[in-house]
Amino acid sequence: MPMNEAPTTVDQQIRELKEELKTRVFDQGFHWKVLFLGRSINGSTDIVSSMSRSLRNLGHHVLDIDTAKHRITNNPSRATGGHGPIYVDFDKIESIVRNFQPQIIICCAGGLTFTEEHAAKLKALGIVLVGITLSDPDVFPSVAGHAHVFDFHTTNAALALEMYKGQGVNNTIYFPFGIDRGFVTQEVSDAPEFSADVICVGHANNRPDRNTAMTHLAKTLDVKVYGRGWELPESEVVSGDRALQALKMGKVHVNFPLTRAGYINIKCGVFESIGVGAIVATGRFEEMAHFFDYGEEILGYDDEADLERNIRELLNDPARAGRMRVAGFKRLINSHLYEHRWMSLFDEIRTASPDTAAWLSDERAAQIRTTLRKSLPRARKVILSGFYGANNLGDEMILRSISWHLRDADPSVQVYVGSERPIRVEHDHGLQSFQRSDHHGASEVLRTASAVVVGGGGLWHDYTIQKAGGIASLFVGAPMSIAGFGILPLMGNLLDIPFYTVGIGAGPLVDDDARRQVRYLASTARQLNVRDHDSRTILEGLGIEPDAISVSPDTVYAVDISATAEAAPEQLEALRAQGYRLIGLNLRHWRNAEQGAWLERLRKAINDIAASEKIAVVGLPMQLGGVHDEDILAKFGASLLQQIPFVALGGDFGLDDYLSALRVVDGVIAMRLHAALLAHRAGRPTVGLAYDPKVARHFDEVGAAELCLEITDPDADFLSAIRHMLALGGVPLLATQEKVSDLERHAAASLKAICAEIAASPDNANVYRIPSEKPTYLSESASKKNVPPAATATFEPMVGRANKFRNIPERRLNVLFDSPRAIHVSLPTAKPWRGQTVEQHGHIRIKANGPVEIALQVENRYQNPKALGNIAYFIRIGNSVLREDLCGSKDTIHVRYLTAGESRVPFSVAVVVLNNCREAEGWRRFSKVSVRISHVHAVAEQKEALMFASGRSILALDDAARSEGGDHLMAESASPAEGALGPAIV
C-alpha cells in the first residue's frame, strides 16, 4: 500500500521486481523425488503449503501427502499445535513409498516423526529422512526426544538450535522462516475496506502485549487488526484472498516477536508482509538483524512509545518509507525465499559426511550420497484425466500403463491425475492427484501443466448424457458423462495447454447432444488416439480429420503383469488340492438388458456342468464396492447349487491379487472388457458376456469370437461355450495366444510413441502460486436470498448404551475431537466377554435442498487373524448396515450413503463381543471404532436411500438384526435405557 505522496514510482519498482521474479529460474542443478508429508491447517496460504510450492519451483518431483486427508499417523499423546510426537505409520505409507520411490521424505511440522523401527525400515531402503520443526522454541520439549530418528532435523529458531545441541540432538540444522516465490508474485485485487496506516494480522487470545500495543496505536493512528481475541472493535478473522487483501492494503505491519511460551523469535509473518510490499515494524533483537537491516529494510522499536513514534515519523516521510519498502522487498526476493532456504539445506545434505555431519556413520553418509547422486530432469507436469480412483481395476490398470509410459518417455514428466478419489490414487499409485470434478481447483492445477491427457477407457459414450444435463452439461460443470471428462481439457485450451487422448473408446453415440459434444471436444485435441477401429469410424463420421486419429490396442495390453509375486489365495489353492476345477467369474450389474433372464441362463449352465464335473466358482470383481461387482457376484454365488463351492474375492483386492487368482483358475467367464483382456493376457481360456460392443470387439481381435456371447441373445448357448472353455485344459487356443502377444507388442510400441509426443510438449514456465479462492459470483446478501446453502451432514448428539458391563467409566466412549463430524466407540474393559455391547445411536442431521451423498470413513486400529470371529462392529445408516469383524483389517473403509431427500437419517455404531477374549489392557485401545463424515454433496433424485462401502457387502437392517451380535439393532428409539451412558458431547 503506498504512503501519502508520490506512490507511483515505488509501486512500479515493486511491480517490476515481481515481474522479474516470475521469470527467474531457481535451480541447483539437481532434482530429487521428494515425498512431502504435512498438513496445511490454514489452506493454500499456510506455511506448509508455501514450503511445498517452493520445492516445486526448484524443479523437484514432489508428492505432497496431506496428513489431514490421508490417515497415516498415530497420535498416542493427542499432541496438537506443532507438538509431538505424532508418528507416521510405515505400514500406511508403504504403498506410496513403493510406487513413488522417493529419495527424500520430508516430515513438515506438526510434530510428525517416525518410530525407531519405522525410520530404520525407510533408511534401509536408502531414503533420506528430513524432519522440519516450525514452532520452536515453544515445541522443543515435545520434539527433542524424537528428532534423532531423522538423518537431518531442522529448527526455525536460532535459540532452539542451541537447545537441541544442549540435549545432545546434534542432527539439527537452522532453517529459518521465509516465503515462497509464488506467494510474492501472486496478484489480488485492491480492497479499499481494508485500507489502513497500521495493521496487525494474528490472534490476540491471551496475548495482552498485543492488545495493549495495538490499542495504544489506535488512539492516534488509523489501525486495523485481524484475528481472534482483539479488544479493538471491528476486528475480523480473514483467510484466503481476504487475508492477502488485508496484508496488501496495510501500510505498516506490526509484528510481535514474543511467542506464547515467552521466547523472542522471528515470525513467518515478517516475510509475508514484506512479500506483499509492506513495511514491517518489529521489536529489535539480534536474530532479526541477520535478516533485515533495522532502519533501512524494516522498522524497529523498543516499546509502545518507540513504536508509535517510529511509525508516525515514517508515515510523514514518504520518500524514506518508499526506500524501505523497496529495500526490504529486494532483500526478501534475493535472500529469504523458501527456494533459498531449501537450496541451502540441500547443499548441506548432499555434501554431508562424518566430518560435516558427525552424527552420521560412514556407512549412512555414503548411502545418503549414493541416494542423492541420482538427479532427474527438472519436473514438468502432465495431467492425466480419467475414471481413476474409483475402485475399478480396469481403469487403475489404464492409469498404471499410461503414467508409466509417460515417465519412461521423458523422466522429467511428473504425472498429476484428475480423478474421482485423489486420496486413493495417491495411496495406490504414488501419483499426485486432484478432484477432477472440482473445476475451479482443476483450473489452478492446469496453470503449471505442459499437457493434458484424457484417457483411456470408454469415456465418450451417450449412456449418461441426458442424466448429466444434455448439451448444457459442458457449461454447468457436470461431473459425469462426456462433460465430466471434457471441461478440464477445454480449460487447458484457453491456457494454451495442448490436449491429447490416449486409448479412449468412443461409442455408442446415438444421442445428438452427445455427438455434438464429442465432435467439439475432439476438434480441439492436438492428437486423438483411440483403442479400436470402431471408435475411429465413429469420430470420422462426426467430421474429424482422419489424419488426427490414430488407433492402438487397449492400453491395458501394455501393462507389465510379469512381476506379480503375490501368492494365490489360500482358499483357491485348497480347492485345487481337493480336485476342483476353478472357474473364474466376473459379472457386473447391467440394467440395460433383462438381467434376471441372462443370469438365470448362466446359472443353469454352471449347475448343469457341475452334474458331470467337480467345479468351483471364483468371483473376480473388477469394480470393487458393495453395490457393484461384489454385490452381483455374491447374489449369483448364493443361487448356485450347494455342491458348488463359491469363493468371492474382494475387499482389499488389488491388481496383483487379481492376477494371482487368474493364474490358478482353469478358465474365466468375463463380462467386463478388462476382465476378459487380463484373462487372455494371463493365458486363460475365456468366455465373454458381451453387454457392450467393446466386449465383442475384443474377442474378435484375439480370434476367440466363438467364445463370446451376447447377453441379450436368447439363443446364446452358455452351456456349450463354458464346456468348450473347460475342454481347452486351462490353455487358450494357439491362435489367441499369438494374437494377444502381437497386441501386447503393438500396444507397448504405440504407447511409447504417443507418450514421447506428449512429453515433447513445450515447457510451462508458470510459477507455482497460491491457488485462487472459489468465486462467489453474488454479493453476500444476494447469495443468502437466492443461492441455497451448501449441503451439510452432522451427527446429532448421540445416546450411548452398554450391555453386560458392571461398571461404566465416567469418560464418554465417543471422544469427538473433530465434533460434530465424528463418533468413536470402544470397549471399556480389558476382558471382553460374550454378549457385551457398547453402542452410540441417534441420527445424522442433513441440511440440503434435496438428496445428497454422504461420504464417511470407518476406522479401527486392530488386525489379528488369530482373533477373527470374536468381536464385530456394526455401522447402521438408515435401513442399511455394515457389519465387520473388528480383527479383520485396520484399513480405512470408505462408506457412501445416498439419501432420498430426508433431513434426518437413523445412525448407530456398536462394538459387540461374540466370544470371550483373552484379557489384555490393549482391548480398551484396539477395540476403538471411529466413524467420520468426510464430505457431503448434492446428487440427482433418488427413489430410495442406498448405502455401499469399499470392498464390503451391505446388509439390510432386518438381515443384520438377525445376524450374530445384531440384537441391538432391534431397538426402536434413541432414548436412554437401563445402563445407558448418557448423551454424547457433540
Side-chain angles (χ1 to χ4, degrees), residues 314-329:
L314 192 69
L315 292 174
N316 290 330
D317 188 350
R320 180 189 170 215
R323 291 193 300 271
M324 186 176 290
R325 288 178 65 201
V326 173
F329 191 82

Side-chain angles (χ1 to χ4, degrees), residues 16-17 22 24 86 106 140 203 290 329 432 490 519 531 581 594 614 777 785 939 961 986:
E16 290 173 357
L17 289 168
K22 286 181 181 179
R24 190 189 304 178
I86 297 177
I106 296 175
F140 167 81
H203 301 308
H290 295 300
F329 191 82
Q432 197 74 70
L490 288 181
R519 179 170 62 244
R531 68 184 180 189
R581 302 190 69 185
E594 290 294 332
K614 190 176 182 181
Y777 299 113
K785 294 178 182 178
V939 295
V986 294

Side-chain angles (χ1 to χ4, degrees), residues 143-164:
V143 171
H146 311 278
H148 68 280
V149 303
F150 296 106
D151 293 301
F152 303 90
H153 170 253
T154 74
T155 177
N156 59 286
L159 173 61
L161 182 63
E162 299 306 314
M163 295 167 69
Y164 283 107

Side-chain angles (χ1 to χ4, degrees), residues 643-660:
Q643 71 193 61
I644 303 175
F646 178 79
V647 177
L649 303 181
D652 301 322
F653 187 62
L655 174 59
D656 291 342
D657 303 295
Y658 194 95
L659 292 170
S660 298

Side-chain angles (χ1 to χ4, degrees), residues 885-896:
D885 194 304
L886 180 79
C887 307
S889 172
K890 57 183 177 181
D891 291 336
T892 299
I893 299 175
H894 297 274
V895 176
R896 298 168 70 189

Side-chain angles (χ1 to χ4, degrees), residues 464-712:
T464 54
I465 182 67
Q466 294 307 321
K467 185 177 181 180
I471 200 69
S473 60
L474 203 56
F475 305 95
V476 296
M480 62 173 64
S481 195
I482 300 162
F485 301 96
I487 294 172
L488 184 68
L490 288 181
M491 290 192 296
N493 279 333
L494 294 176
L495 296 169
D496 297 321
I497 298 170
F499 155 45
Y500 303 82
T501 70
V502 175
I504 204 166
L509 281 174
V510 178
D511 184 277
D512 287 340
D513 286 352
R515 292 172 64 83
R516 292 185 181 99
Q517 284 192 358
V518 170
R519 179 170 62 244
Y520 176 52
L521 287 169
S523 68
T524 68
R526 179 75 58 89
Q527 179 64 41
L528 294 163
N529 174 257
V530 296
R531 68 184 180 189
D532 52 59
H533 288 281
D534 285 358
S535 294
R536 177 179 189 135
T537 299
I538 288 172
L539 294 181
E540 289 179 354
L542 295 176
I544 305 302
E545 289 294 327
D547 291 346
I549 309 169
S550 64
V551 181
S552 303
D554 194 295
T555 56
V556 175
Y557 280 113
V559 175
D560 181 9
I561 64 172
S562 62
T564 303
E566 295 288 337
E570 294 181 3
Q571 299 159 290
L572 306 191
E573 293 288 9
L575 288 169
R576 287 182 65 84
Q578 296 171 43
Y580 285 96
R581 302 190 69 185
L582 305 183
I583 297 176
L585 177 64
N586 166 258
L587 298 175
R588 64 161 295 170
H589 286 293
W590 189 246
R591 308 299 184 186
N592 293 25
E594 290 294 332
Q595 183 165 288
W598 63 263
L599 279 175
E600 174 57 26
R601 288 154 57 209
L602 177 62
R603 184 191 68 80
K604 185 176 185 305
I606 293 175
N607 285 343
D608 287 349
I609 290 172
S612 57
E613 295 203 46
K614 190 176 182 181
I615 62 170
V617 176
V618 181
L620 298 173
M622 288 290 286
Q623 176 70 62
L624 303 179
V627 299
H628 297 294
D629 296 11
E630 292 175 78
D631 177 64
I632 189 173
L633 284 168
K635 292 175 180 176
F636 184 83
S639 73
L640 295 174
L641 292 175
Q642 191 172 356
Q643 71 193 61
I644 303 175
F646 178 79
V647 177
L649 303 181
D652 301 322
F653 187 62
L655 174 59
D656 291 342
D657 303 295
Y658 194 95
L659 292 170
S660 298
L662 276 181
R663 292 189 173 116
V664 297
V665 299
D666 295 276
V668 176
I669 302 170
M671 189 170 178
R672 289 188 181 269
L673 166 64
H674 290 119
L677 193 156
L678 264 187
H680 282 130
R681 288 198 64 197
R684 290 294 171 264
T686 305
V687 170
L689 304 178
Y691 71 96
D692 184 284
K694 63 186 179 184
V695 179
R697 281 197 299 267
H698 164 72
F699 276 82
D700 187 54
E701 73 179 358
V702 299
E706 71 277 11
L707 286 174
C708 186
L709 308 170
E710 294 284 346
I711 61 172
T712 56

Side-chain angles (χ1 to χ4, degrees), residues 922-943:
W923 284 120
R924 302 179 192 273
R925 184 169 75 256
F926 291 122
S927 64
K928 179 180 176 181
V929 176
S930 301
V931 185
R932 292 181 174 85
I933 297 174
S934 57
H935 63 270
V936 185
H937 63 266
V939 295
E941 290 293 331
Q942 295 285 127
K943 293 182 179 179

